Amino acid sequence: MLKCVDMEEMYQQYAKPVYYFLLSLSHSPEMAEELTAETFYQAIRSIHRYDGSCQLKTWLFQIAKNLWLKQCSKAKRESDLFHQNTPCECTSDPMDEIVDASEEKITFYKKVNRLDEPYRTVVYLRLASNLTFEEIGQILDQSANWARVTYYRAKERLKTSYETS
């Protein structure tokens, strides 16, 4: 079990990567912020269940992913209740808020944002969160090889998008 001091260190070390992961899924800074806070709240509540079988950041990303999926289910239920077709993802582009003023970076991340799932998520996990393919596979309930192949295919799609623009 982690000490209280370690909880603060855990938050300091992993809050930003968890936030960017959730932002890549939700496309909403507000939702990503809310889910990041909930991720750490749930992690602290259930730290006694962390068995060390994976890295701490992988465990946190799994919690974050599950909370996002729960939020999507809730949004879908509410949408069905009111007979509206409200998607879970917001349509606003938050990239300007998280990317430097560099036009190349903005263009690149816009192209990444246009990728279909799971390519977009794998690229964000790899580049923004600096996770290994093994960790990405664990978070997305896939193999490391699947993550590697998906990342390669995403890179190929990005190359194609640059060639056609």
Coordinates of all heavy atoms in Angstrom, one line a residue, residues 73-87:
S73 N -21.6 5.9 -21.6 CA -22.9 5.2 -21.4 C -23.9 6.0 -20.8 O -25.1 6.0 -21.2 CB -22.6 4.0 -20.5 OG -21.7 3.1 -21.1
K74 N -23.5 6.8 -19.8 CA -24.5 7.7 -19.1 C -25.0 8.8 -20.2 O -26.2 9.0 -20.2 CB -23.8 8.5 -18.0 CG -24.7 9.4 -17.3 CD -23.9 10.1 -16.1 CE -24.8 11.2 -15.5 NZ -24.0 12.0 -14.5
A75 N -24.1 9.3 -21.0 CA -24.6 10.3 -22.0 C -25.5 9.7 -23.0 O -26.5 10.3 -23.4 CB -23.3 10.9 -22.7
K76 N -25.2 8.4 -23.4 CA -26.0 7.7 -24.3 C -27.4 7.4 -23.7 O -28.4 7.6 -24.4 CB -25.4 6.4 -24.8 CG -26.2 5.7 -25.8 CD -25.5 4.4 -26.3 CE -26.2 3.7 -27.4 NZ -27.6 3.9 -27.6
R77 N -27.5 7.0 -22.5 CA -28.7 6.8 -21.8 C -29.6 8.0 -21.7 O -30.8 8.0 -22.0 CB -28.5 6.2 -20.4 CG -28.2 4.7 -20.3 CD -28.3 4.2 -18.9 NE -27.6 5.0 -17.9 CZ -26.3 4.8 -17.6 NH1 -25.6 3.9 -18.2 NH2 -25.8 5.6 -16.7
E78 N -28.9 9.1 -21.4 CA -29.6 10.4 -21.3 C -30.1 10.9 -22.7 O -31.2 11.4 -22.8 CB -28.7 11.5 -20.7 CG -28.5 11.3 -19.2 CD -27.4 12.2 -18.6 OE1 -26.9 13.1 -19.4 OE2 -27.2 12.1 -17.4
S79 N -29.3 10.6 -23.7 CA -29.6 10.9 -25.0 C -30.8 10.1 -25.5 O -31.8 10.6 -26.1 CB -28.4 10.7 -25.9 OG -28.8 10.5 -27.3
D80 N -30.8 8.8 -25.2 CA -31.9 8.0 -25.6 C -33.2 8.4 -24.8 O -34.3 8.3 -25.4 CB -31.6 6.5 -25.2 CG -30.5 5.9 -26.2 OD1 -30.2 6.6 -27.2 OD2 -30.0 4.9 -25.8
L81 N -33.0 8.8 -23.6 CA -34.2 9.2 -22.8 C -34.9 10.4 -23.4 O -36.1 10.5 -23.4 CB -33.7 9.6 -21.4 CG -34.7 9.3 -20.3 CD1 -34.3 8.1 -19.5 CD2 -34.8 10.5 -19.4
F82 N -34.1 11.3 -24.0 CA -34.7 12.5 -24.5 C -34.8 12.4 -26.1 O -35.1 13.4 -26.7 CB -33.9 13.8 -24.2 CG -33.9 14.0 -22.7 CD1 -32.8 13.8 -21.9 CD2 -35.0 14.5 -22.1 CE1 -32.8 14.0 -20.5 CE2 -35.1 14.8 -20.7 CZ -33.9 14.5 -19.9
H83 N -34.6 11.3 -26.6 CA -34.7 11.0 -28.1 C -33.8 12.0 -28.9 O -34.2 12.5 -29.9 CB -36.1 11.1 -28.5 CG -37.0 10.1 -27.8 ND1 -36.9 8.8 -28.0 CD2 -38.0 10.3 -26.9 CE1 -37.8 8.2 -27.3 NE2 -38.5 9.1 -26.6
Q84 N -32.6 12.3 -28.3 CA -31.7 13.1 -29.0 C -30.5 12.3 -29.4 O -30.2 11.3 -28.8 CB -31.2 14.3 -28.2 CG -32.4 15.2 -27.8 CD -31.9 16.2 -26.8 OE1 -30.8 16.1 -26.2 NE2 -32.7 17.2 -26.5
N85 N -29.8 12.7 -30.4 CA -28.6 12.0 -30.8 C -27.4 12.8 -30.4 O -26.7 13.4 -31.2 CB -28.6 11.8 -32.3 CG -27.5 10.8 -32.7 OD1 -26.9 10.2 -31.9 ND2 -27.2 10.8 -34.0
T86 N -27.1 12.9 -29.1 CA -26.0 13.7 -28.6 C -24.8 12.7 -28.4 O -24.9 11.8 -27.7 CB -26.4 14.2 -27.2 OG1 -27.6 14.9 -27.3 CG2 -25.3 15.1 -26.7
P87 N -23.8 13.0 -29.2 CA -22.6 12.1 -29.1 C -21.9 12.4 -27.8 O -22.0 13.5 -27.2 CB -21.7 12.5 -30.3 CG -22.1 13.9 -30.6 CD -23.6 14.0 -30.2

